Amino acid sequence: MSSIRLDSKQYFTTSGLVIGYALCSSLLAVINKFAITKFNYPGLLTALQYLTSAVGVWVLGKLGFLHHDPFIYATAKKFLPAAFVFYLAIFTNTNLLRHANVDTFIVFRSCTPLLVAIADTAFRHQPCPSKLTFGSLLIILGGAVGYVATDSAFTLTAYSWAFAYLVTITTEMVYIKHMVTNLGLNTWGFVLYNNLISLILAPAFWFITGEYVDVFSALGSSKGDWFQYDAFYAVSLSCVFGFLISFFGFAARKAISATAFTVTGVVNKFLTVAINVVIWDKHANPFGLVCLLFTISGGVLYQQSVSGVGSAPSTADKPTGNDNDPEDNRGKPGKLSSV
């Protein structure tokens, strides 16, 4: 009887973790789009997300809910290049959501296996993709080309940020994973170092991009009425979900198999598309949505073709940044950036 109770408790715990991860992952891109719509300062928004994640890990570590490596200057110095690329990936991700809809983000995020496969073959001397893998990459490419060709919201600015995001996230997947694994950090240590160093880097980007001018101008023109509840709630929701996905992603990865975790990540993308279509009009036209689903399906085939292949460039076993995925990526363990 006690064994049945234990199994039942474990089942509900595992189900709760998977559902929590699915909700956070599928909602985060939409929430980030909502946040950047209400709070049009991408550099400051990402800094607040880094602050929330770094403080959250530190506080939960002090309370004994998790264990993270201590922040040491020598390790931080070695980690700096990884954090810099991570910051660029999240920064370009946020600016992409600022200028384009969520569907465009998902299309370009789904194209990463194509560039990762090319980069692994060209620079890391990995074997050429199998026929099934190559076919899935062609499906991804075809869906992406069809989406771009029919995107009525196409702008040079939006797609410039999209290509910048694609380059930085591919660099993070191919190069940074290899570099940071040699530092010996645990998952929460990775999250702490990633977010804290990124927070330190944030002011430099505010000045480089000139965003600080916009912030001070907005404060000066508000005449004391600078606090807006809708922007506050949107930013708070984005920060909270950015941290929650770190917890649920890590916990769900430990509770279920790698294959189940990958399938959950794929389902999350379809949920994101469905939610995005239902809640507002910031989405692609019907043909664009078909191309988007075509691209995601290519990603599913890609995952199937590389599962069990040791040399395959998979993101399913690596800690990465905010899905905020970041679809969801703020230095999160696990998927957060699922293919």
Side-chain angles (χ1 to χ4, degrees):
M1 180 66 70
S2 61
S3 176
I4 295 177
R5 290 177 180 174
L6 183 61
D7 291 342
S8 177
K9 182 178 180 181
Q10 183 177 4
Y11 170 79
F12 284 111
T13 300
T14 301
S15 300
L17 292 174
V18 173
I19 292 172
Y21 167 67
L23 287 174
C24 290
S25 179
S26 58
L27 286 171
L28 188 57
V30 178
I31 290 173
N32 281 341
K33 175 63 178 179
F34 176 62
I36 199 63
T37 301
K38 296 295 182 179
F39 188 76
N40 197 21
Y41 307 105
L44 184 55
L45 175 61
T46 54
L48 292 172
Q49 292 170 335
Y50 299 140
L51 177 63
T52 303
S53 293
V55 172
V57 171
W58 182 79
V59 170
L60 292 180
K62 287 294 184 181
L63 295 176
F65 289 104
L66 57 85
H67 171 72
H68 63 80
D69 298 291
F71 192 84
I72 302 172
Y73 174 76
T75 304
K77 188 176 180 180
K78 295 177 182 177
F79 196 88
L80 181 60
F84 180 73
V85 175
F86 169 76
Y87 185 96
L88 288 178
I90 300 302
F91 184 75
T92 53
N93 170 13
T94 306
N95 276 280
L96 170 57
L97 286 173
R98 181 188 186 188
H99 295 284
N101 56 39
V102 175
D103 300 330
T104 303
F105 162 71
I106 296 177
V107 164
F108 278 86
R109 185 65 184 80
S110 299
C111 286
T112 52
L114 182 62
L115 291 187
V116 169
I118 295 173
D120 267 351
T121 302
F123 301 111
R124 297 181 62 198
H125 308 294
Q126 297 289 344
C128 293
S130 65
K131 291 181 179 179
L132 180 57
T133 300
F134 186 73
S136 67
L137 295 176
L138 288 180
I139 292 175
I140 293 173
L141 179 62
V145 170
Y147 179 89
V148 172
T150 60
D151 186 6
S152 58
F154 178 93
T155 65
L156 184 59
T157 300
Y159 275 78
S160 296
W161 283 114
F163 281 108
Y165 170 71
L166 193 56
V167 170
T168 53
I169 197 67
T170 302
T171 302
E172 196 240 2
M173 288 180 177
V174 175
Y175 171 68
I176 300 304
K177 175 187 175 182
H178 172 72
M179 192 188 74
V180 280
T181 49
N182 295 328
L183 295 178
L185 295 172
N186 66 12
T187 303
W188 289 110
F190 179 89
V191 175
L192 178 64
Y193 274 79
N194 234 358
N195 286 280
L196 187 53
I197 296 176
S198 295
L199 180 62
I200 296 171
L201 292 173
F205 279 82
W206 297 345
F207 283 95
I208 292 173
T209 61
E211 184 176 313
Y212 74 99
V213 176
D214 297 332
V215 174
F216 286 119
S217 296
L219 290 175
S221 62
S222 61
K223 298 179 180 179
D225 188 23
W226 56 270
F227 186 85
Q228 298 179 4
Y229 283 100
D230 54 349
F232 173 77
Y233 291 136
V235 172
S236 299
L237 198 62
S238 176
C239 292
V240 170
F241 267 73
F243 178 70
L244 285 179
I245 199 171
S246 298
F247 169 76
F248 281 113
F250 182 37
R253 175 173 292 283
K254 292 180 63 178
I256 60 179
S257 67
T259 300
F261 190 84
T262 300
V263 170
T264 303
V266 173
V267 172
N268 292 344
K269 284 189 175 182
F270 287 102
L271 287 175
T272 300
V273 174
I275 293 170
N276 190 55
V277 170
V278 170
I279 66 171
W280 55 14
D281 61 353
K282 301 179 185 296
H283 55 76
N285 57 39
F287 185 78
L289 290 174
V290 171
C291 292
L292 170 58
L293 297 179
F294 200 67
T295 303
I296 296 176
S297 300
V300 176
L301 289 177
Y302 173 82
Q303 288 287 358
Q304 293 297 319
S305 69
V306 300
S307 58
V309 182
S311 60
S314 172
T315 59
D317 60 351
K318 85 179 186 69
T320 89
N322 55 203
D323 151 322
N324 56 55
D325 60 278
E327 158 204 270
D328 352 82
N329 317 296
R330 297 291 173 271
K332 310 165 185 50
K335 141 47 182 120
L336 311 182
S337 32
S338 63
V339 170

